[in-house]
Amino acid sequence: QVQVVESGGGLVQAGGSLRLSCAASGSTGSSYTMAWFRQAPGKEREFVAAIRRRGLSTYYGDSVKGRFTISLDFAKVTVDLQMNSLKPEDTAVYYCAAGLSTILSETSNPRGYGYWGQGTQVTVSS
């Protein structure tokens, strides 16, 4: 069993920065993928970013490329999401997810992840 816990959400003005953190505990193995998704009211869950333990490959959603950076501390199994140049449209609940055997084609799909955190609210004011 794997537990995923996020932290770091809050309120920020447009143009500002926030850093989200996520810790995964339990039997993660060594081939896991960690990701961030977000969901705004009335919208579907959207892929934000992911990082694969093997090779530390990173992937980003189109709407956050160049502004967000995902990083992994594989010794602690924690993943951070540095969010810069935030926009009001980034407002959402952000979820951290862990997949123990996520195939490459499902890196940006919620189906690729079996363990989810409770979510943390990010609000960007204009």
Side-chain angles (χ1 to χ4, degrees), residues 61-79:
D62 289 341
S63 61
V64 306
K65 281 180 182 176
R67 300 188 297 124
F68 290 12
T69 302
I70 190 170
S71 59
L72 174 68
D73 182 333
F74 54 83
K76 299 179 181 178
V77 196
T78 58
V79 60

Side-chain angles (χ1 to χ4, degrees), residues 33-103:
T33 301
M34 300 289 291
W36 288 94
F37 291 79
R38 66 187 183 187
Q39 189 164 19
K43 295 188 176 182
E44 292 187 353
R45 192 161 294 192
E46 177 189 14
F47 171 72
V48 175
I51 185 165
R52 301 181 75 87
R53 168 60 181 90
R54 289 194 173 184
L56 297 180
S57 300
T58 57
Y59 309 84
Y60 295 94
D62 289 341
S63 61
V64 306
K65 281 180 182 176
R67 300 188 297 124
F68 290 12
T69 302
I70 190 170
S71 59
L72 174 68
D73 182 333
F74 54 83
K76 299 179 181 178
V77 196
T78 58
V79 60
D80 287 351
L81 184 69
Q82 177 65 41
M83 305 184 294
N84 298 327
S85 302
L86 283 161
K87 306 175 182 179
E89 50 264 43
D90 293 318
T91 295
V93 177
Y94 283 69
Y95 296 91
C96 181
L100 304 189
S101 56
T102 306
I103 60 176

